[in-house]
Amino acid sequence: GEDVEQSLFLSVREGDSSVINCTYTDSSSTYLYWYKQEPGAGLQLLTYIFSNMDMKQDQRLTVLLNKKDKHLSLRIADTQTGDSAIYFCAENGNTGFQKLVFGTGTRLLVSP
Amino acid sequence: EPEVTQTPSHQVTQMGQEVILRCVPISNHLYFYWYRQILGQKVEFLVSFYNNEISEKSEIFDDQFSVERPDGSNFTLKIRSTKLEDSAMYFCASSVEPGTNEQFFGPGTRLTVL
C-alpha cells in the first residue's frame, strides 16, 4: 500500500538552510506536495511538484524529486523563526479522484 | 483570499451521540474531502466527494460516517454514533479540479468523544 515517511524533527538556526526529507512508496504518484501546519492551524499548501520534474523553485523554497529512489526534499533558504512549524509531505496516487497520502510530518524548530 | 472554513472549532460529545461537522469549501471548487488526524498520528484520508456523490472512501469511512452537500455552499460530515476512537482533528479540504489536485484545507474541527 501507499506509505510516506519523514524524519520527525529538525532544528536549525535562523538564517541557515533547512532540508526536510521524505520517502514514498507509490511509484504511480503524479504529484507530490509539501504542506505546512502551524500550531492550532490547518494545513497550508506550500508547493507541489509534478512527477516528471526533478526540481521546482519557488522563492525561498526548493523542491527536489528523485523518482528513482522515491525521495522528495524541501529546502528552505534563509530559514526564519516564522518557519517553525510541522511540514508534511504528501503524495496522490493514481486513483482518479486523488486522495492525498500524508507523511508523519517533520517538526522544524528555528532558533534565533 | 478565499479560504475553507469549518465549524465548530471544537466539539465535545458523549459516546454514542451523533455529531455533524460543517465545512464551507472555496466557492468555485468542485471536489471536496474530509481527512482526520488522531493526536500524534498521520493525517488520514476519509472520503472525497464530487458531483453530489462519494467518489472515493477509505476503510475508516464505515457505515457510521456520511457526507452531504445540503446546499450550494456547505459540506458536512456526520458521525452517527460516536466512539472514543473517533476523537481527532477533522479537516475539510476542497480543490477546483483533480488535475494538479491542489487541495486547500480548513483550520479543522477538534472532536472530543467522552
Side-chain angles (χ1 to χ4, degrees):
Chain A
E2 306 129 329
D3 194 22
V4 180
E5 295 295 334
Q6 301 176 238
S7 52
L8 290 180
F9 189 73
L10 176 66
S11 180
V12 300
R13 288 199 173 275
E14 195 172 22
D16 288 350
S17 291
S18 307
V19 180
I20 301 170
N21 294 301
C22 168
T23 57
Y24 61 97
T25 57
D26 189 348
S27 58
S28 65
S29 298
T30 48
Y31 289 93
L32 296 116
Y33 310 83
W34 284 103
Y35 281 84
K36 176 183 179 183
Q37 185 181 35
E38 296 184 74
L43 298 162
Q44 176 195 356
L45 177 63
L46 287 178
T47 187
Y48 64 91
I49 188 167
F50 187 44
S51 59
N52 70 353
M53 296 171 65
D54 298 324
M55 185 181 87
K56 179 179 180 180
Q57 187 149 3
D58 185 359
Q59 298 182 349
R60 292 192 297 123
L61 305 179
T62 303
V63 179
L64 295 178
L65 175 60
N66 182 329
K67 202 172 178 186
K68 175 176 165 288
D69 293 340
K70 299 193 188 101
H71 182 266
L72 183 74
S73 67
L74 174 70
R75 180 177 178 269
I76 306 172
D78 187 24
T79 316
Q80 303 296 306
T81 54
D83 295 324
S84 293
I86 300 176
Y87 290 80
F88 291 93
C89 165
E91 55 97 4
N92 68 345
N94 193 19
T95 58
F97 290 95
Q98 302 181 347
K99 69 181 184 185
L100 296 181
V101 178
F102 283 85
T104 48
T106 299
R107 183 178 295 276
L108 174 65
L109 178 64
V110 184
S111 52
Chain B
E1 185 177 324
E3 58 184 17
V4 176
T5 60
Q6 290 185 242
T7 53
S9 56
H10 191 192
Q11 173 93 46
V12 181
T13 190
Q14 296 289 327
M15 192 169 56
Q17 294 295 304
E18 174 183 287
V19 294
I20 298 175
L21 309 183
R22 292 184 164 79
C23 168
V24 179
I26 295 173
S27 62
N28 64 330
H29 285 190
L30 301 175
Y31 298 83
F32 314 114
Y33 312 84
W34 284 101
Y35 292 80
R36 79 171 184 192
Q37 185 181 30
I38 295 172
L39 189 63
Q41 297 187 24
K42 292 185 181 185
V43 176
E44 302 171 290
F45 169 80
L46 293 177
V47 66
S48 59
F49 191 86
Y50 169 70
N51 200 26
N52 279 322
E53 60 183 26
I54 291 173
S55 44
E56 189 175 2
K57 61 183 180 180
S58 70
E59 291 173 357
I60 304 166
F61 195 88
D62 61 22
D63 292 343
Q64 292 299 313
F65 291 88
S66 62
V67 288
E68 195 179 26
R69 188 150 163 84
D71 52 42
S73 59
N74 289 283
F75 179 51
T76 62
L77 174 69
K78 183 193 292 187
I79 309 175
R80 196 188 344 261
S81 176
T82 50
K83 307 183 189 71
L84 295 176
E85 55 265 36
D86 293 328
S87 295
M89 182 74 90
Y90 288 79
F91 293 106
C92 173
S94 68
S95 64
V96 66
E97 48 121 8
T100 58
N101 200 21
E102 295 172 77
Q103 293 184 21
F104 293 87
F105 282 73
T109 293
R110 181 170 296 284
L111 177 64
T112 302
V113 183
L114 303 176

